[in-house]
Amino acid sequence: MRLFAGLVPPADALSELGRAVDRLHDLPGSGGLRWTSRPGWHFTLAFMGEVDDSILPDLRERLGRAAHRSEAFRMRLHGGGHFGRRALWVGAAGGIDAMRMLAERADAAARRAGVSMEEHRRYQAHLTIARARADVDLVPYVDELSLFEGSPWTVSELLLIRSNLPGGGVPGAQPRYDVVGSWPLGTGD
């Protein structure tokens, strides 16, 4: 299974983001972007790639412990940025340090369970909203997103998500994401 640990903003936050993204479609050059599927909007905390089924029980247990050691936190969608000239994203504000710590714990849980993780990098909170099909100037989109400020919500669970890549070469096909595990944050005390 192709897996990652992540967070999914609540429906209200995603609706706010949807309205902001709709405005981006009016900018020149938006046709050169491949917009991500709204049902798939999420924050990846730790990308694991292909994970053998034999590792899943230990991975689930370790992610549960990581969630248990992490308190719930407040955050909101905020602003935007880009990675090079290829990926456009919306950022987060609020409990960024708590989110970064949860990402570190999820990464460590996966490594300890035997998942072969990519090279470790400092976590950058981002929710990808578009990818460029060609070399596109993303600065006007980031400028427009600089005004975006979503409503705060409480992050209260860690998710293990399966990424189902599209097959068959269907133009415009998007990955489908299924939650295969979830754990509440904190002790509940």
Side-chain angles (χ1 to χ4, degrees):
M1 281 192 276
R2 186 176 165 90
L3 298 174
F4 63 91
L7 305 174
V8 175
D12 291 350
L14 294 176
S15 292
E16 289 176 342
L17 176 57
R19 289 188 292 277
V21 169
D22 286 345
R23 289 190 296 275
L24 297 178
H25 289 251
D26 295 333
L27 294 176
S30 68
L33 296 174
R34 185 172 43 92
W35 299 92
T36 57
S37 168
R38 292 178 188 202
W41 282 346
H42 64 272
F43 286 94
T44 298
L45 296 176
F47 181 75
M48 299 168 205
E50 290 295 329
V51 175
D52 190 272
D53 288 348
S54 65
I55 293 174
L56 280 177
D58 192 32
L59 176 61
R60 289 176 186 273
E61 183 178 322
R62 291 178 183 280
L63 287 172
R65 287 198 300 256
H68 182 76
R69 290 192 312 269
S70 303
E71 293 301 319
F73 56 93
R74 300 282 287 169
M75 69 177 293
R76 66 188 182 280
L77 297 171
H78 168 78
H82 60 93
F83 295 127
R85 295 173 69 90
R86 294 299 210 161
L88 177 66
W89 49 264
V90 169
I96 296 298
D97 289 340
M99 189 174 184
R100 189 171 289 124
M101 178 60 72
L102 184 58
E104 294 284 336
R105 287 177 173 153
D107 183 272
R111 288 176 192 280
R112 288 184 184 120
V115 177
S116 177
M117 301 292 285
E118 293 181 0
E119 177 184 328
H120 185 71
R121 300 177 221 152
R122 182 166 168 81
Y123 181 71
Q124 168 69 50
H126 68 282
L127 185 157
T128 302
I129 57 171
R131 289 182 179 82
R133 292 186 177 121
D135 195 23
V136 175
D137 181 9
L138 298 175
V139 172
Y141 299 92
V142 173
D143 288 346
E144 182 71 23
L145 286 169
S146 70
L147 306 173
F148 177 66
E149 190 71 41
S151 301
W153 80 90
T154 300
V155 175
S156 60
E157 68 181 342
L158 171 63
L159 303 174
L160 180 61
I161 301 171
R162 180 179 184 172
S163 174
N164 301 288
L165 298 177
V170 177
Q174 298 273 337
R176 192 183 78 248
Y177 302 104
D178 300 312
V179 174
V180 296
S182 66
W183 300 270
L185 299 185
T187 60
D189 296 337

